[in-house]
Amino acid sequence: MIKKFIDKLLGKGAGGTQGKSRFGKRQEVPAEVHGIDPALVDERAKNVVTTLQQAGYEAYVVGGAVRDLLLGLRPKDFDVATNATPEQVKSLFRRAFIIGRRFRIVHVVYGRGREHEVIEVSTFRAYMDNAAAEQVAGNERTSKGELASMKHAVDASGRVLRDNVWGPQEEDAARRDFTVNAMYYDPANQVVVDYHNGIKDAQKLTLRMIGDPATRYREDPVRIIRAIRFSAKLAALGFKLEAKTAAPLVESTKLLADVPQSRLFDEMLKLLQTGHAIATVEQLKKLGLARGIYPLLDVVVERADQPFVKAALQDTDRRVSEGKPVAPSFLLACVLWADVRDGWAQRQEGRNGQRPQPPFPALQDAIDDVFNARIGDVSGRGKLAADMREIWMMQPRFDKRTGSTPYSLVEQARFRAAFDFMRLRADVGEVGEAIAEWWQEFSTSDDARRTDLLEQVREEQKVRQRVRVRETPQSPKPPKPHGEPAGRRAADPGRNDDVEVETLAVPPDGEAMAPRKRRRRRKPRPGGGGEGGGSAADA
C-alpha cells in the first residue's frame, strides 16, 4: 500500500505508465539479427564514436545512417548522438564547431576543401512536455532576444523554438520524427538500440511518425517537408507513408505560414538536391501538396513536365547519384529561365507600349524583374543570385564565336555552369546542337585546335554571307556614260562628286557584289583655304 501511495505521488500510477510508454521499450538487436555490414560504416564516424566512448561517454551512429545500413545501403552522411554536452564534445576534437541556437550541435570536420567531411554530433535531448515549456509570443523570426536565455520554449501554437535540454537516450529517441530514423548503432559491439520498432517498420517498408502525427507537425511544421522528402527518397525502395502519418499533412500546411522564409527556402533545396527531385514532384502531387508549401516550389512542380525543367531535374538527380556536386543556382536558373527569356524578348521588341531596348540591358532588366517576383530577399541577393545572373548573362555570349570572346568566356569562373545550361537548351532544341558541340570542343582543346575552330567559324560566316547576297534581289544599274573610267562616275553638275562608287570585280562563280561607297579626300585649292578639288574626270 505504501509503495502504491509513493508511486501515485511520483506520477507512476496509470498516468505514469502511459507517460513511460511513449518513450518506448529499449531493444538491443545483435548483428546476427539486424545484419548490418560493418564495412559500410564510415571510418571517420567510427573515430568520432570511439573517441567519445574512450572519454567515458555514450556514443552511437544515429538517424538515417542506421536506416540505410539496415537496408544494405552506404549512407552519404553520418550523424552521431551522445550524452556528452556540446562543450564536452568540442573539447575532444581539434576541428569541432558548435553551431545552431534552436538546436545546439557540434560539427566535427575531417579533411579540407571539397574532400572534407562533416560528422554531426548531437547531445541526447530530454522529451519535454510543451505545456511545461516556457511560452513566448513571437516566433523564430521575432523572438531571438527573448529566447537567448531559454533552453526549452514554444510559441502560442505549440511549435518548439528552443530544444536544448539534455536527457537520457530513451527520451531522445521519443523526440525524433520517424521510427526508422530513431535507431542507434554502436560500431564497437555492432548492436542496434531500437525503442519504437524501427527495425520492424524498415522491414515492412513503412514510414511512421513517432507519437501523434498532428501534434508532431504542430511542434515543428518543417516535419511536413521532411515527411515528403523521406517518402520521395525511399519510394524507390518501396516505402510508403503510414496512413495516420499522411492524413494530417494537407491540413497542417497552414502551420508553415509562421516558419521563417529562409528556413523554408533551405528545406525546399533539400527536396530538390538530394538526388530525388523527380520523385519529390511526384510525391507532392500524390499527397495533394502540389501547391502551398513554398511559392518557388509551386513553380517547380508546375513546370516539372516542361522539357527544359524536366531535363534540369533529371540532370540534378543524375549528378547526385554519381557523387558529383550540384548547385542550387543552376537548378533555379533552369526553373526560372522561361520568365527571364520571355521578359527579355518583350523588352527587346518593345511590347505593351515599352520602348525597345538593346539586348544586354533588356536581359539585365528582365533578370531583375524575375528576382523581385520569384525570389525576393530570401537568399536572392547573395551568392545564389550572383551565380544565377552570371549563368543567364553568359547565354547571348555563346552566339559570338569570333575574336577574343571565346577565350575570355572560357576563363570565366561560372563558364562550366553556363555551358551546361546552354547544353540543356540545345538538348531541348532552343539552341543549335552544332553550337553546343563547338563550345564543348573549344573549351577542352589546345591553342592550335582553338585557332582551327575559330577559322572554321569564319569560313562558315563567309559562306552564309554569300548566300545572303545571292538571295538579295539586285536593282538594275544605270548604263555607265561613255568614256567614264572604271570604278568612278563621270563628272556631272547634277551629281555629288564627293562620293564615288567602286564597282567590284565579279567573283569566278558569277556572284554579283553590292556596290561599295567610299568618300574621296578633297584636295585644297592652290593659294587658299576655300573648297575645291578635282572632279572625277580630272582624276
Side-chain angles (χ1 to χ4, degrees):
M1 290 293 294
I2 296 175
K3 184 178 185 302
K4 289 182 180 180
F5 178 72
I6 294 174
D7 287 344
K8 185 176 181 181
L9 288 177
L10 296 176
K12 295 182 179 180
T17 303
Q18 292 175 1
K20 187 176 180 180
S21 65
R22 67 183 175 180
F23 300 140
K25 180 181 179 181
R26 180 185 177 97
Q27 302 177 60
E28 294 188 1
V29 183
E32 56 268 21
V33 176
H34 60 66
I36 288 178
D37 182 359
L40 296 177
V41 182
D42 186 271
E43 287 298 325
R44 286 162 285 201
K46 288 182 181 178
N47 180 66
V48 171
V49 171
T50 301
T51 301
L52 287 165
Q53 290 177 344
Q54 289 177 346
Y57 301 109
E58 296 179 59
Y60 301 84
V61 174
V62 69
V66 182
R67 178 201 64 226
D68 290 347
L69 290 170
L70 284 170
L71 298 172
L73 306 175
R74 184 180 296 277
K76 294 182 179 179
D77 300 303
F78 283 84
D79 297 338
V80 171
T82 178
N83 62 349
T85 65
E87 289 77 14
Q88 290 169 335
V89 174
K90 185 178 185 299
S91 67
L92 295 174
F93 299 93
R94 185 172 61 87
R95 296 181 65 204
F97 309 92
I98 299 176
I99 66 168
R101 282 178 292 207
R102 186 167 180 266
F103 301 113
R104 294 179 69 224
I105 59 177
V106 180
H107 278 181
V108 179
V109 183
Y110 289 88
R112 297 185 181 275
R114 290 187 175 182
E115 302 302 321
H116 83 284
E117 182 178 356
V118 174
I119 305 298
E120 188 172 285
V121 183
S122 62
T123 304
F124 295 151
R125 286 177 171 81
Y127 191 100
M128 299 291 290
D129 191 339
N130 290 344
E134 296 179 270
Q135 189 175 116
V136 296
N139 55 38
E140 292 175 58
R141 288 173 294 181
T142 60
S143 57
K144 289 182 180 178
E146 188 176 354
L147 291 168
S149 60
M150 298 181 182
K151 292 185 176 181
H152 185 65
V154 299
D155 65 8
S157 68
R159 184 170 70 257
V160 178
L161 303 182
R162 282 290 184 274
D163 189 7
N164 292 309
V165 180
W166 319 131
Q169 185 184 42
E170 61 266 22
E171 294 187 22
D172 183 76
R175 54 162 298 281
R176 294 182 179 270
D177 45 19
F178 301 100
T179 60
V180 294
N181 292 341
M183 294 176 286
Y184 304 79
Y185 176 66
D186 184 349
N189 57 26
Q190 299 184 35
V191 167
V192 171
V193 179
D194 183 7
Y195 289 91
H196 300 281
N197 295 317
I199 290 180
K200 290 183 179 179
D201 284 343
Q203 293 171 342
K204 293 188 296 182
L205 305 179
T206 299
L207 196 58
R208 179 169 60 89
M209 181 71 70
I210 297 173
D212 176 59
T215 301
R216 303 308 302 279
Y217 294 142
R218 188 165 54 252
E219 290 174 352
D220 184 4
V222 170
R223 286 192 175 118
I224 298 167
I225 303 177
R226 287 171 58 84
I228 297 166
R229 177 153 57 91
F230 287 128
S231 61
K233 177 180 180 178
L234 301 174
L237 300 175
F239 273 77
K240 293 183 179 179
L241 273 176
E242 180 206 31
K244 291 181 180 179
T245 300
L249 281 174
V250 175
E251 177 65 22
S252 299
T253 53
K254 61 186 180 184
L255 300 171
L256 294 170
D258 292 328
V259 176
Q261 293 293 294
S262 58
R263 191 176 177 209
L264 289 178
F265 184 85
D266 292 340
E267 290 296 330
M268 179 200 69
L269 294 182
K270 290 179 184 177
L271 284 177
L272 301 176
Q273 292 194 279
T274 53
H276 308 90
I278 295 294
T280 294
V281 171
E282 294 175 356
Q283 197 70 14
L284 286 166
K285 293 178 179 178
K286 179 181 178 181
L287 296 172
L289 298 170
R291 301 191 66 82
I293 298 285
Y294 187 69
L296 195 52
L297 183 60
D298 295 346
V299 178
V300 175
V301 177
E302 177 185 334
R303 298 179 179 178
D305 291 330
Q306 296 179 4
F308 186 61
V309 176
K310 186 174 184 178
L313 294 172
Q314 291 173 335
D315 185 66
T316 300
D317 287 350
R318 176 187 60 80
R319 290 183 64 86
V320 173
S321 67
E322 294 174 357
K324 297 179 179 178
V326 292
S329 55
F330 181 85
L331 181 57
L332 293 181
C334 292
V335 171
L336 298 178
W337 171 241
D339 295 340
V340 173
R341 182 190 59 210
D342 293 347
W344 185 23
Q346 177 177 323
R347 288 179 175 277
Q348 289 184 90
E349 296 170 6
R351 301 178 198 164
N352 301 328
Q354 295 179 342
R355 295 181 60 183
Q357 292 181 259
F360 275 92
L363 180 55
Q364 289 175 328
D365 289 345
I367 291 172
D368 289 339
D369 289 346
V370 170
F371 280 149
N372 292 334
R374 297 295 194 187
I375 296 182
D377 293 330
V378 181
S379 301
R381 293 294 185 261
K383 185 178 185 302
L384 178 94
D387 290 347
M388 293 172 66
R389 183 184 294 274
E390 204 164 352
I391 289 172
W392 287 330
M393 292 299 297
M394 281 190 189
Q395 297 310 301
R397 297 183 64 187
F398 285 112
D399 294 333
K400 187 175 181 181
R401 295 178 290 158
T402 57
S404 61
T405 298
Y407 290 99
S408 62
L409 193 58
V410 296
E411 296 300 323
Q412 296 290 325
R414 300 296 299 167
F415 168 78
R416 179 50 55 180
F419 169 77
D420 289 343
F421 188 92
M422 187 265 290
R423 173 80 261 182
L424 284 180
R425 293 175 63 206
D427 290 343
V428 299
E430 190 176 314
V431 176
E433 184 71 24
I435 293 180
E437 292 178 355
W438 188 92
W439 279 102
Q440 173 66 38
E441 187 170 2
F442 185 87
S443 65
T444 57
S445 298
D446 56 20
D447 289 341
R449 179 55 184 156
R450 287 181 174 183
T451 301
D452 293 341
L453 290 169
L454 291 173
E455 182 61 30
Q456 171 190 324
V457 172
R458 284 192 287 268
E459 292 299 324
E460 291 174 355
Q461 290 177 340
K462 288 179 182 179
V463 171
R464 287 196 296 270
Q465 186 177 15
R466 290 172 183 167
V467 171
R468 284 197 299 269
V469 170
R470 186 181 296 115
E471 293 176 350
T472 302
Q474 300 291 330
S475 57
K477 297 180 181 179
K480 183 166 58 177
H482 180 68
E484 181 179 13
R488 299 182 184 175
R489 285 191 276 176
D492 190 311
R495 296 194 294 195
N496 182 7
D497 287 336
D498 294 336
V499 178
E500 60 184 16
V501 177
E502 180 179 295
T503 305
L504 301 178
V506 178
D509 58 0
E511 178 182 343
M513 301 293 287
R516 179 165 60 91
K517 293 185 178 181
R518 69 179 181 181
R519 185 169 296 280
R520 293 179 61 192
R521 185 175 181 181
R522 296 181 179 180
K523 297 180 181 179
R525 289 183 179 181
E531 292 183 359
S535 66
D538 294 334

